[in-house]
Amino acid sequence: MAQTKDKHYWRQLREVLTAGRWDSSHPAKTPKGVPLSWSELLRKFNKHCPGHKDVAEIASQTQALSLLLAANSRDRSLDGNEVSQAGPLALDDECVLAEERVEEALSGYNALKNLKSSNSDSIRLALAYYAYALGRPSECLELPSQATDITDVQGRVAEQRKSSTSESTLRVPGTGSDHSLSSWSSSFVSTNSSSSVADISDGTAWATTESIRRICLQGMSHERITPEDLQTAFDTYIIALPLISIVASEIPASVPTSPTPSSYTSTGTDNSSFLRYRELWRWVERLLRRAIILGSRICDVRQDTGRSGALWELFGCYHTCSAHWPPTFRPGHRSTICVLYLRAFVLRYGSTPSTPTTTMDDAKPHRWISTARSVIHEYRAILSVSTHFPRAGERNIKVEDLVDLSVAVWEADGAVGEYAGWVIDVLWWATRLTFNSFRVFRHMSRLFYVLGDPELAKRALRLYVQVVSKAREARMASGEGEQQSINNLLGVGTDTDTDKDWVQTLVQGARMLCRLALSEGDYCQALEQVTEAGVMLEKAKCRLDTNDKVLAARVQLAEGIWQSVMAQIEREPLTRTDRLASALSLLLTSLETFETPSAHYHLALAYIRPGSSQDLQTAIMHIRAAVEAEPHEIRYWHLLGLLLSAAEDWTAARGVFEIGAEVGETDAAESNGDALNDAPSTSADGIQARDYAVQDLATPNGNGNPVTNGHTHSPDPRPATPRHDESPLTVLGNADSQLPPSSSLLRPLPDRPSPSHQEIFEHALQLRMTQLTLVEHMEGPEGAGDRWVEVFQWFSERREVGMDDRRRSIDSRQLPEDLRPPSASFDGRPSADGAGKPLSTVYSHQSNHDAFADHIPMPPIPIPITVTPATPDEMMHEKRSSSFEDNKTDISRGKKVKEVLKSRVHKGQERITTISKKIGHNVARQRSTHLKRSASAPDLHAVLSETSYQASSIHLRQYLSIHSSQQDLALPEVPPPPPPSQQSPSLIPEKTVSRAAKDRRLLSNLWLMSAATFRRLGKIEQARGAIQEAEVRDEHNAAVWVQLGLYHMALNNERSALEAFQKALFISPDDVSATIHLCRIYLSPPSLKPRGDPPRATSDNVDLAVGLLSDLTRGVGWDVPEAWYFLGKAYGLQGRKDRERECLCFALTLTETRPLRDIGVTLGWCL
């Protein structure tokens, strides 16, 4: 029983010391579970452990000193939660007694000095603790140096790693046998102690605590003795790193609770290990924190070796240890370290190395971002418990600073829109701890847009403008002094944003609204958005510092873009010329103020617009300057090629398109880790491909960062070693007592958002489509026909994962092979590679390259194709009929359309939006530019003669799949289609639906372009199959009905063509191609109408065509030569020869400088 009590009270004393229960009224219990006070614990310890009164005295004096130190703090916290009034970076007064406590502490200090015992090392460590607290740092350094075994920290670490069971090097020698009562020696460490620092029972954990405390006190003493020599103290602190690493790895986050009284802790049922090792963690946190603050002043964050590399080890060790701590443990100090850690990440990975290098590790993902996000998550948990929702007149500065810091981390990681979701989560969390914070709204506006949620982006922008404006108005209306009012005007108030941030945010918002207006399908909403953009720019100019040339140039550029977009959106012929002239003037002024590639690009767009200022050569000069300044932007190359095609420099345009395609391939190579050194060095139009398409990512863009497609990439996660002549990049300055604001880490807002991966893919696809258009122009349709296979293969290889290009309306009902009739089984047909593969397989992105063979015969019998029209709302329940068959029994819909079109002519700008589903502005026009060049130009292409055709396997597989599926549908035993997804459509993220719709529209347009090529080749059946494929991918694509109408016109079936064009106008009332082709039918002479009884060129039809084309040329089709040509032709039929001559002359002028494809469709009118 004596031995049991002996061990019990040793264990209880060690647990109490390790847990640091200095102020607990009942820190321990008896073997029977009776609570014990400090005095009773020490009395019973002395009673049952005779000969160890020195141990009890050391414990008593350590408790007394801890209570005296805690009395200094305002909250009397034993954990030291209070941050110094001098600032979170001040380290001077920690663990130092106040003057009124010194005399009381001296008694304990003298008691320890008079204590004579063989346990001299433990006494010296306790005396060193007292010496530092009494303001005697020199004595604190001297006392531990006299200890023998405890000072061998490295030896202890070696023993820990070897998992040795020998006597610990931290043990203070004792006497006695291992099997007797004296085995619990006079030391705090048992002679048969385990090798784990997590063991509290044998005293190893407390010995580790004493060791870490000793090193920490030594470093603190060096700080006080030689405050200018930070390196010595830093080197002292990092001695403990190996030992602390062992502590973090061996101490579990939680420990199982035991019902035995001997394992009692003050936590009761709490199984958290933090409370059991609280004193150990107090000293670990203090040592690491002080070492990190010193290292942040002297270490170069770009270095990961030597003393500078030790800073990153300290950060990592602190973050690992913090996983054991609750958020309420030293929240102020931990907040400081979290900020420093994140600042170090941003400074290291967000800065550009002086000499960029390309290595095999460049393609690896940034591993540091996961650690940074983990630190941010920890910081959020700390702020959630240590801060509160601000009261009136207050601001939650720490939460707002974390918002800036999170955005800075995202920018350092590359500012990729797809990866901004976690930052949005931080912003939403911040709204619960802030009240109308302009910082949160400012970042929300930007991040919501790049993440693909423009509606929330607009709402956040409006909230930002409202909050900042009202705050400024309130401050100006208050009775403040004149000087304070001047400061407010400069935007330096605590509750208002700075002038620079205000201007940048509003300029960015105005550019965003212009882009959204151009893509908006509703005319009223588009006009509202572009008008709001103009208001934003006016507000930005009110606080613009004209001395800031860069910012002034950005405002002028944005205003020039706004004028151009306004001319496009408002559709007002009376103001269009003035707005385009103002846009050109503003863009030139911006270029003179501060030259940027974006200004050159938009100037090229301005000079190509029809009007008195049109100058094709000047436009080419500006776009060349943009390409040279920013060669990794694929849209610059695309525009250069289009302008060269307008100048009829076909060879140079072809070379430029090839280089632009290589730029897109370079992006893909970067994402896949491919080497960039194999790019060809061909040149085109005086521009070297190797100079601009491939540059080892070293071309700067204003701030020195490499640029790809307008996206500024961060350097490799492993930064380059700084040169010897460079000053070290430190997290803090030597004189900093406060943390620098995280807003200083934010980069200036870019000229335009970084394109997403989807947008980069779309830009590359548009360029390849233009390439094929050029090939067809130079070599004829025969030269472009076989190249469609390559484009489809390229599309399938690079499209987003998860997109399915199967026929969703048919292939979803495939039957098992054993249920198919022989006529529906194609296993016997030769496959693409001759291996007998079933050709009913649907074309997918996993197809082998061999599957794209070009010499597979088409089915001899045309396949019956049914294209389902996109019907207006009032006809949703009408029977869906074939669009490829003449419907002579139902002409009511055609009459309805004609009546609607007549009404539209008389109503001018009014649109028939109430009877149609409008999918998107200019959607059909975007995909119909090749139509008006091929079939709606004044000199139409003749239908080519029928020739034998060896179709590509992509078309063959689609046809066979369609054929087999239709055979399946005729079977009586066809199983029902698969049940719909259980997930509600409302639960699917909107941006996911939008992205899938864009993918389907892209593929649909790709099929339509191939259909146009087949039609011009005279391969009508192949064109029909491609149109069907396009309709299945996107049934709301108005261009499908335009192509279907052209298909029927090629067959001289003008009644069906008329209905198809009318259906296109139901889907998109502003469709340019559909309107032009419809009017062309109305104006065609009767001699060209061999089939049926279609409308003739009667006076009513001519008047209708004049009305439609007049409205079109005043609005969206003002720069389309075909619209002016047919309008002139209509005027001629009316006998208005003067107007006919004017329209034909203007159409000729437009044709002379017209590029291969519509610039607004392929690139857009603003970045």
Side-chain angles (χ1 to χ4, degrees):
M1 183 64 182
Q3 287 188 2
T4 302
K5 287 188 176 182
D6 170 29
K7 294 180 179 180
H8 172 77
Y9 286 111
W10 267 107
R11 183 180 298 110
Q12 287 291 296
L13 182 61
R14 289 163 174 159
E15 286 183 357
V16 168
L17 293 175
T18 307
R21 302 177 199 143
W22 313 122
D23 60 346
S24 176
S25 57
H26 298 90
K29 279 193 174 184
T30 65
K32 295 182 179 181
V34 179
L36 292 175
S37 63
W38 264 97
S39 58
E40 279 298 301
L41 172 62
L42 295 178
R43 185 186 67 80
K44 288 185 174 289
F45 178 84
N46 287 330
K47 174 182 176 181
H48 296 286
C49 304
H52 302 296
K53 291 185 177 181
D54 56 332
V55 175
E57 184 66 22
I58 293 173
S60 176
Q61 297 303 331
T62 302
Q63 182 221 10
L65 179 58
S66 298
L67 292 176
L68 289 175
L69 290 172
N72 292 349
S73 62
R74 291 188 297 269
D75 59 354
R76 302 182 65 85
S77 171
L78 291 170
D79 286 335
N81 292 335
E82 186 178 4
V83 179
S84 173
Q85 295 182 354
L89 304 179
L91 305 173
D92 296 336
D93 55 354
E94 195 172 19
C95 294
V96 178
L97 290 168
E99 291 294 333
E100 63 271 15
R101 306 290 181 181
V102 171
E103 184 175 353
E104 186 177 357
L106 281 174
S107 60
Y109 176 74
N110 293 328
L112 287 174
K113 288 191 70 174
N114 296 329
L115 193 63
K116 296 182 180 180
S117 169
S118 59
N119 190 20
S120 58
D121 288 340
S122 293
I123 296 175
R124 291 191 183 96
L125 294 180
L127 284 173
Y129 190 14
Y130 263 92
Y132 185 85
L134 292 171
R136 304 173 183 177
S138 300
E139 186 177 348
C140 177
L141 285 174
E142 182 181 355
L143 285 170
S145 63
Q146 300 174 4
T148 55
D149 296 334
I150 297 182
T151 58
D152 188 9
V153 177
Q154 299 297 335
R156 169 138 186 101
V157 172
E159 281 200 33
Q160 293 291 338
R161 289 175 176 172
K162 293 177 182 178
S163 301
S164 172
T165 57
S166 62
E167 179 176 301
S168 172
T169 58
L170 290 178
R171 171 183 174 272
V172 180
T175 58
S177 170
D178 290 346
H179 304 285
S180 65
L181 176 65
S182 60
S183 64
W184 300 83
S185 66
S186 59
S187 169
F188 285 100
V189 184
S190 172
T191 55
N192 58 352
S193 63
S194 69
S195 61
S196 175
V197 298
D199 198 329
I200 298 177
S201 304
D202 66 355
T204 306
W206 176 247
T208 304
T209 304
E210 284 188 316
S211 179
I212 294 175
R213 186 184 67 186
R214 174 186 64 84
I215 299 174
C216 183
L217 291 173
Q218 284 182 331
M220 295 165 68
S221 299
H222 283 298
E223 289 185 56
R224 294 180 65 88
I225 295 173
T226 55
E228 70 283 351
D229 185 11
L230 303 180
Q231 190 67 57
T232 301
F234 181 75
D235 292 341
T236 303
Y237 286 133
I238 61 177
I239 294 175
L241 262 180
L243 184 58
I244 294 177
S245 299
I246 295 174
V247 169
S249 62
E250 293 189 358
I251 294 181
S254 60
V255 292
T257 55
S258 174
T260 59
S262 61
S263 63
Y264 167 79
T265 66
S266 62
T267 62
T269 59
D270 191 350
N271 63 347
S272 172
S273 67
F274 170 76
L275 298 177
R276 300 190 62 193
Y277 300 93
R278 192 169 195 143
E279 185 67 11
L280 172 61
W281 290 128
R282 287 168 181 163
W283 285 101
V284 167
E285 193 281 333
R286 180 176 289 120
L287 185 148
L288 292 176
R289 170 169 45 85
R290 299 181 74 96
I292 287 173
I293 293 177
L294 292 181
S296 298
R297 301 182 189 275
I298 62 177
C299 294
D300 191 336
V301 294
R302 295 168 297 185
Q303 296 276 6
D304 52 6
T305 57
R307 291 176 176 174
S308 296
L311 175 61
W312 290 104
E313 295 183 28
L314 289 166
F315 276 129
C317 191
Y318 191 97
H319 182 57
T320 302
C321 293
S322 65
H324 298 79
W325 308 335
T328 54
F329 176 66
R330 296 184 179 174
H333 297 310
R334 293 170 64 188
S335 298
T336 301
I337 301 305
C338 287
V339 172
L340 292 178
Y341 198 3
L342 295 172
R343 285 186 64 87
F345 275 132
V346 175
L347 292 173
R348 173 171 176 149
Y349 299 110
S351 59
T352 304
S354 300
T355 307
T357 57
T358 303
T359 65
M360 292 300 295
D361 294 334
D362 292 350
K364 296 181 180 179
H366 293 190
R367 299 181 182 275
W368 65 269
I369 190 62
S370 59
T371 305
R373 291 179 59 180
S374 177
V375 175
I376 291 174
H377 182 76
E378 176 191 348
Y379 194 13
R380 283 177 54 181
I382 294 171
L383 294 182
S384 295
V385 300
S386 61
T387 63
H388 57 82
F389 190 81
R391 298 182 179 89
E394 294 181 350
R395 286 174 55 198
N396 198 332
I397 303 297
K398 288 189 175 182
V399 172
E400 293 183 352
D401 188 77
L402 174 58
V403 167
D404 286 338
L405 196 53
S406 299
V407 176
V409 170
W410 172 72
E411 290 178 338
D413 190 38
V416 181
E418 289 91 338
Y419 306 149
W422 66 270
V423 191
I424 292 293
D425 292 339
V426 175
L427 295 176
W428 281 124
W429 164 82
T431 58
R432 300 195 294 267
L433 290 173
T434 57
F435 178 71
N436 285 343
S437 171
F438 60 84
R439 292 178 184 270
V440 175
F441 295 146
R442 186 212 306 155
H443 294 310
M444 274 187 170
S445 174
R446 174 190 179 189
L447 294 177
F448 275 131
Y449 181 72
V450 300
L451 197 59
D453 197 337
E455 289 302 319
L456 282 179
K458 290 188 291 186
R459 290 173 59 185
L461 176 64
R462 291 162 186 160
L463 282 173
Y464 169 81
V465 174
Q466 184 178 3
V467 167
V468 177
S469 299
K470 292 297 182 182
R472 283 173 56 82
E473 291 177 8
R475 291 178 64 85
M476 293 301 299
S478 62
E480 298 176 340
E482 181 179 355
Q483 183 60 41
Q484 183 64 34
S485 298
I486 294 175
N487 290 338
N488 291 337
L489 287 174
L490 295 177
V492 296
T494 57
D495 55 354
T496 59
D497 212 352
T498 63
D499 285 347
K500 185 174 183 178
D501 288 332
W502 167 266
V503 174
Q504 284 185 340
T505 304
L506 265 60
V507 167
Q508 174 187 255
R511 295 276 296 271
M512 175 187 71
L513 291 170
C514 288
R515 285 187 291 268
L516 295 176
L518 288 174
S519 61
E520 178 59 56
D522 186 270
Y523 170 75
C524 295
Q525 291 185 8
L527 186 60
E528 179 181 351
Q529 289 177 350
V530 73
T531 303
E532 185 179 5
V535 175
M536 295 288 179
L537 290 174
E538 290 299 323
K539 292 181 178 181
K541 290 192 293 184
C542 292
R543 295 174 60 179
L544 174 63
D545 181 9
T546 56
N547 294 324
D548 188 342
K549 299 300 183 182
V550 176
L551 196 57
R554 292 188 61 179
V555 173
Q556 293 159 355
L557 174 62
E559 191 172 5
I561 294 172
W562 174 78
Q563 289 283 4
S564 177
V565 174
M566 194 68 177
Q568 185 77 15
I569 296 297
E570 67 178 352
R571 306 177 186 176
E572 179 55 58
L574 299 179
T575 60
R576 182 182 295 123
T577 302
D578 294 338
R579 290 196 179 278
L580 292 178
S582 299
L584 181 60
S585 176
L586 288 165
L587 292 173
L588 288 172
T589 304
S590 173
L591 189 66
E592 294 172 359
T593 305
F594 186 81
E595 184 178 2
T596 60
S598 181
H600 282 292
Y601 175 82
H602 288 96
L603 272 171
L605 292 177
Y607 276 114
I608 197 59
R609 303 299 287 267
S612 59
S613 59
Q614 188 179 44
D615 189 337
L616 181 58
Q617 295 304 319
T618 304
I620 294 176
M621 178 191 68
H622 282 290
I623 193 57
R624 281 176 175 169
V627 167
E628 292 172 359
E630 199 171 326
H632 287 278
E633 174 55 74
I634 190 173
R635 286 173 289 184
Y636 293 174
W637 290 100
H638 196 170
L639 180 58
L640 177 58
L642 287 173
L643 296 185
L644 290 173
S645 70
E648 299 185 358
D649 192 350
W650 310 112
T651 304
R654 189 169 191 168
V656 166
F657 287 141
E658 291 176 356
I659 298 174
E662 291 174 2
V663 171
E665 294 303 318
T666 301
D667 295 335
E670 289 170 7
S671 60
N672 297 326
D674 297 338
L676 305 180
N677 296 327
D678 297 331
S681 58
T682 57
S683 61
D685 193 36
I687 299 177
Q688 293 295 327
R690 181 169 294 278
D691 291 342
Y692 304 115
V694 180
Q695 283 196 349
D696 295 336
L697 304 181
T699 302
N701 178 27
N703 58 359
N705 286 340
V707 177
T708 301
N709 289 338
H711 170 59
T712 303
H713 290 277
S714 60
D716 181 68
R718 193 183 52 190
T721 304
R723 298 194 304 262
H724 295 291
D725 56 346
E726 287 184 328
S727 59
L729 180 62
T730 59
V731 181
L732 296 172
N734 289 332
D736 290 342
S737 60
Q738 300 286 343
L739 287 170
S742 297
S743 58
S744 61
L745 298 174
L746 295 173
R747 298 176 181 177
L749 290 180
D751 173 75
R752 59 190 179 277
S754 302
S756 63
H757 297 305
Q758 176 70 14
E759 290 172 338
I760 294 174
F761 170 74
E762 292 178 14
H763 299 159
L765 179 61
Q766 288 289 347
L767 187 139
R768 287 181 173 271
M769 293 166 74
T770 306
Q771 271 187 299
L772 283 179
T773 305
L774 177 62
V775 170
E776 182 173 349
H777 182 86
M778 298 178 65
E779 303 176 9
E782 298 83 356
D786 296 338
R787 301 198 181 188
W788 279 108
V789 177
E790 301 175 4
V791 177
F792 275 98
Q793 182 180 9
W794 180 91
F795 185 97
S796 65
E797 291 174 351
R798 287 161 178 79
R799 63 184 171 179
E800 293 291 337
V801 177
M803 180 188 172
D804 189 6
D805 65 349
R806 296 179 301 169
R807 291 184 53 85
R808 295 175 287 111
S809 60
I810 297 178
D811 291 343
S812 59
R813 302 185 60 183
Q814 293 290 334
L815 283 178
E817 199 65 37
D818 55 348
L819 297 179
R820 296 183 180 180
S823 60
S825 177
F826 292 86
D827 289 350
R829 292 179 180 267
S831 64
D833 54 3
K837 297 180 181 179
L839 292 178
S840 57
T841 305
V842 180
Y843 169 66
S844 68
H845 65 279
Q846 283 125 347
S847 301
N848 191 290
H849 179 69
D850 294 337
F852 291 90
D854 295 332
H855 301 290
I856 296 181
M858 296 293 297
I861 302 176
I863 301 166
I865 301 174
T866 301
V867 181
T868 305
T871 316
D873 294 338
E874 58 193 37
M875 302 179 182
M876 287 300 292
H877 302 289
E878 193 171 325
K879 182 179 178 182
R880 299 163 73 112
S881 61
S882 172
S883 301
F884 284 91
E885 299 175 359
D886 291 338
N887 189 358
K888 300 182 179 179
T889 61
D890 183 10
I891 61 174
S892 60
R893 285 181 294 174
K895 293 180 179 179
K896 284 184 181 180
V897 173
K898 190 170 183 179
E899 293 298 326
V900 169
L901 295 177
K902 287 182 178 180
S903 174
R904 176 182 167 197
V905 170
H906 295 297
K907 292 182 180 180
Q909 293 295 329
E910 294 181 3
R911 299 292 182 260
I912 51 175
T913 56
T914 57
I915 61 172
S916 64
K917 295 186 296 182
K918 301 185 65 175
I919 307 304
H921 181 61
N922 277 347
V923 169
R925 184 188 178 194
Q926 291 178 4
R927 309 307 171 188
S928 60
T929 53
H930 59 282
L931 301 178
K932 58 193 177 186
R933 292 188 62 85
S934 61
S936 64
D939 185 12
L940 299 175
H941 292 286
V943 178
L944 301 179
S945 58
E946 191 71 34
T947 57
S948 59
Y949 172 66
Q950 301 294 330
S952 64
S953 61
I954 176 173
H955 298 91
L956 178 58
R957 285 206 307 269
Q958 292 287 353
Y959 272 112
L960 294 179
S961 175
I962 296 166
H963 180 60
S964 62
S965 300
Q966 289 181 343
Q967 294 291 335
D968 295 342
L969 293 175
L971 295 177
E973 64 272 21
V974 172
S981 174
Q982 298 297 324
Q983 185 179 12
S984 172
S986 60
L987 300 180
I988 302 176
E990 183 178 354
K991 65 179 181 180
T992 303
V993 176
S994 176
R995 183 175 301 175
K998 287 183 178 180
D999 287 338
R1000 290 194 297 270
R1001 176 59 58 86
L1002 286 172
L1003 187 55
S1004 176
N1005 291 327
L1006 206 56
W1007 278 109
L1008 291 176
M1009 285 196 70
S1010 67
T1013 301
F1014 291 142
R1015 175 172 48 79
R1016 288 188 286 269
L1017 277 169
K1019 300 172 182 178
I1020 302 301
E1021 300 307 321
Q1022 289 85 330
R1024 182 176 65 177
I1027 294 172
Q1028 182 193 20
E1029 297 297 334
E1031 189 271 341
V1032 171
R1033 268 64 180 185
D1034 187 359
E1035 62 183 5
H1036 301 297
N1037 191 352
V1040 171
W1041 297 99
V1042 174
Q1043 283 295 327
L1044 181 59
L1046 294 174
Y1047 162 82
H1048 284 303
M1049 289 184 68
L1051 297 176
N1052 292 328
N1053 188 356
E1054 293 193 352
R1055 175 177 294 279
S1056 297
L1058 183 72
E1059 293 180 358
F1061 294 139
Q1062 290 170 345
K1063 291 175 183 178
L1065 289 176
F1066 268 115
I1067 298 175
S1068 178
D1070 295 329
D1071 188 273
V1072 176
S1073 288
T1075 304
I1076 293 175
H1077 290 301
L1078 186 64
C1079 293
R1080 174 172 172 261
I1081 294 177
Y1082 288 152
L1083 299 176
S1084 59
S1087 59
L1088 298 180
K1089 300 177 181 294
R1091 188 183 290 190
D1093 187 22
R1096 297 177 177 271
T1098 62
S1099 60
D1100 290 343
N1101 289 335
V1102 172
D1103 293 342
L1104 180 58
V1106 170
L1108 289 173
L1109 292 172
S1110 297
D1111 183 64
L1112 184 67
T1113 53
R1114 286 195 299 266
V1116 293
W1118 71 276
D1119 57 349
V1120 179
E1122 289 85 358
W1124 289 98
Y1125 171 81
F1126 285 109
L1127 179 58
K1129 185 176 180 180
Y1131 281 141
L1133 293 175
Q1134 288 183 334
R1136 302 162 67 180
K1137 299 301 182 181
D1138 293 339
R1139 291 291 295 154
E1140 178 186 13
R1141 186 179 302 105
E1142 293 175 1
C1143 292
L1144 293 178
C1145 290
F1146 190 61
L1148 181 61
T1149 302
L1150 292 175
T1151 306
E1152 290 175 350
T1153 57
R1154 181 182 185 182
L1156 278 173
R1157 298 177 66 202
D1158 191 329
I1159 294 176
V1161 170
T1162 57
L1163 297 170
W1165 292 110
C1166 70
L1167 292 177

